[in-house]
């Protein structure tokens, strides 16, 4: 019998050696799309007990509990990231706990690809594909937002000052990877932007 | 290029990060009695829009951000955004008072209905 097997959209990609920030795919990340109303106390309390952490209410922030991280996406939508192996179980648990509450929890781990950029100059590299000013104080570590990156829909997560995760839909993974690889090529440093802070 | 701010998630972005959704506060003719809606009412609802020189009220969507719809008041001459407000809200009172022509008539009719 054939068995469904996950294969990353960027499987086999080598970590390029010719870039001035390092880039790699994070394929082991699980993702759950959670929808419900932040104004619904029962929903918020149930989500908290299942995840271990309050769903962030503040726009563009994240909340972390161990290896579970919750991204604020909109007033009624959160993206939960966790180890891929845990995602299905966690989504099932959430759905079970939230039975009767107007909400939705679904495992979307295969929907997006995650590319991690690391090193001095990551913000500059990302800014080559978007008009967002990442050197601005509005983008401290922990910030998350959706954006238009290199003309495609993407999700930006500032993990640390010099560590950025970019989430794109799976079908755009190769394109985004190639774009970033060119944008980060050694010798293309711009160095005109001030440091973040 | 317009620079727009989303009142829901707070991001400021260029026009292309948002989606223009046409004139704000377009009211559907009462649907409680659809058979008896006058043709003129349905025509106005579907096709007739204000086209003011100056203060205008519009719907926008935070397309590449939180995905929510919101309202914006914009001056069509200077391209200045005067206010952003929720999709279920009416514009700030001072802007309602500054509105001219068809918009002024509309806000008066809403106030009267209350
Ligand atoms: Zn928004």
């Amino acid at each position: 019998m054939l068995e469904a097997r996950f294969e990353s959209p960027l499987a086999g990609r080598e970590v390029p050696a010719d870039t001035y920030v390092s880039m790699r795919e994070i394929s082991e990340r699980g993702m759950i799309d959670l929808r419900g109303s932040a104004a619904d106390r029962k929903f918020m309390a149930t989500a908290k007990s299942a995840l271990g952490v309050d769903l962030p209410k503040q726009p563009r922030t994240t909340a972390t509990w161990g290896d579970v991280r919750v991204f604020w996406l909109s007033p009624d939508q959160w993206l939960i990231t966790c180890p891929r192996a845990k995602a299905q179980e966690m989504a099932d648990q959430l759905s079970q706990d939230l039975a009767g509450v107007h909400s939705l929890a679904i495992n979307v781990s295969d929907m997006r690809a995650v590319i991690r950029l690391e090193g001095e100059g990551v913000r500059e590299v990302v800014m080559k594909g978007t008009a967002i000013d990442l050197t601005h104080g509005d983008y401290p570590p922990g910030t998350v937002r959706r954006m238009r990156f290199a003309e495609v829909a993407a999700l930006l997560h500032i993990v640390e000052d010099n560590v950025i995760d970019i989430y794109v839909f799976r079908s755009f993974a190769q394109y985004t990877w190639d774009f970033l690889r060119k944008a980060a090529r050694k010798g293309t440093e711009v160095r005109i932007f001030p440091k973040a802070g | 290029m317009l620079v727009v701010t989303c009142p829901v998630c707070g991001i400021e972005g260029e026009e292309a990060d948002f989606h223009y959704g046409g004139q704000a506060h377009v009211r559907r003719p009462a649907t409680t009695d659809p058979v008896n809606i006058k043709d003129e009412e349905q025509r106005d609802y579907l096709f007739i829009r204000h086209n003011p020189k100056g203060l205008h009220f519009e719907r926008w969507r935070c397309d590449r951000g939180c995905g929510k719809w919101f309202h914006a008041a914009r001056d069509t001459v200077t391209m200045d955004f005067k206010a952003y407000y929720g999709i279920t809200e009416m514009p700030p009172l001072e802007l309602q008072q500054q509105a001219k022509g068809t918009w002024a008539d509309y806000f008066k009719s809403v106030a009267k209905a209350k």
Side-chain angles (χ1 to χ4, degrees):
Chain A
M1 203 184 100
L2 281 173
E3 249 180 70
R5 181 173 60 89
F6 167 74
E7 186 167 292
S8 134
L10 295 168
R13 290 287 168 131
E14 279 172 32
V15 172
D18 61 345
T19 55
Y20 67 96
V21 302
S22 78
M23 52 188 284
R24 67 184 171 93
E25 191 210 2
I26 300 182
S27 61
E28 67 274 16
R29 185 156 299 168
M31 286 169 245
I32 297 162
D33 191 19
L34 178 66
R35 302 209 67 156
S37 171
D40 182 342
R41 274 201 213 143
K42 191 162 175 225
F43 167 75
M44 295 300 274
T46 312
K48 188 195 172 165
S49 65
L51 298 169
V53 65
D54 270 317
L55 296 177
K57 277 186 169 179
Q58 192 67 28
R60 292 174 284 127
T61 58
T62 50
T64 309
W65 172 254
D67 51 13
V68 176
R69 192 170 242 156
V70 189
F71 296 173
W72 184 97
L73 292 189
S74 99
D76 54 11
Q77 186 174 21
W78 293 265
L79 185 75
I80 300 157
T81 67
C82 62
R84 179 174 281 275
K86 270 171 80 173
Q88 189 58 51
E89 191 191 328
M90 197 172 224
D92 290 343
Q93 188 65 49
L94 272 165
S95 302
Q96 197 187 315
D97 295 351
L98 288 167
V101 180
H102 184 61
S103 63
L104 175 83
I106 193 158
N107 180 2
V108 291
S109 302
D110 298 347
M111 192 165 146
R112 295 180 179 91
V114 188
I115 300 171
R116 168 157 293 191
L117 302 169
E118 215 163 331
E120 190 83 31
V122 276
R123 290 176 185 243
E124 176 192 299
V125 169
V126 174
M127 282 164 69
K128 289 179 181 180
T130 169
I132 301 171
D133 181 2
L134 295 175
T135 61
H136 199 253
D138 267 2
Y139 290 88
T143 306
V144 67
R145 67 163 281 180
R146 285 187 276 199
M147 63 169 178
R148 191 164 52 99
F149 178 74
E151 306 302 324
V152 303
L155 190 145
L156 169 85
H157 177 212
I158 316 268
V159 187
E160 286 166 36
D161 249 336
N162 287 327
V163 182
I164 288 179
D165 284 354
I166 291 188
Y167 294 63
V168 289
F169 290 120
R170 190 186 161 96
S171 53
F172 291 114
Q174 188 175 329
Y175 162 78
T176 310
W177 177 270
D178 292 346
F179 182 98
L180 282 167
R181 194 175 168 175
K182 280 222 165 104
R185 216 175 56 220
K186 274 179 193 152
T188 66
E189 296 92 333
V190 185
R191 293 202 191 94
I192 58 168
F193 302 114
K195 281 197 171 170
Chain B
M1 179 71 76
L2 298 171
V3 175
V4 188
T5 305
C6 169
V8 182
C9 69
I11 61 160
E12 184 189 77
E14 53 181 303
E15 198 179 333
D17 290 348
F18 294 82
H19 177 80
Y20 175 68
Q23 180 188 308
H25 311 299
V26 177
R27 273 191 300 184
R28 199 184 180 117
T31 45
T32 46
D33 188 11
V35 177
N36 287 316
I37 288 173
K38 291 196 203 90
D39 285 352
E40 290 74 19
E41 283 177 336
Q42 190 67 8
R43 174 205 62 196
D44 289 357
Y45 166 64
L46 289 173
F47 304 115
I48 307 300
R49 295 291 179 267
H50 307 337
N51 186 21
K53 182 180 173 187
L55 191 57
H56 191 36
F57 300 87
E58 304 168 327
R59 284 155 49 96
W60 284 83
R61 181 174 180 259
C62 186
D63 222 18
R64 289 285 180 257
C66 66
K68 294 294 174 201
W69 284 93
F70 58 91
H71 280 136
R74 184 172 64 93
D75 191 309
T76 59
V77 177
T78 62
M79 296 299 203
D80 262 359
F81 279 99
K82 300 293 182 195
Y84 304 98
Y85 53 102
I87 195 66
T88 56
E89 291 167 12
M90 291 299 279
L93 217 57
E94 69 267 22
L95 287 178
Q96 292 190 31
Q97 283 155 359
Q98 281 171 35
K100 293 194 178 74
T102 40
W103 276 119
D105 297 342
Y106 170 74
F107 293 130
K108 265 179 221 147
S109 76
V110 172
K112 218 175 177 183
K114 274 185 186 167

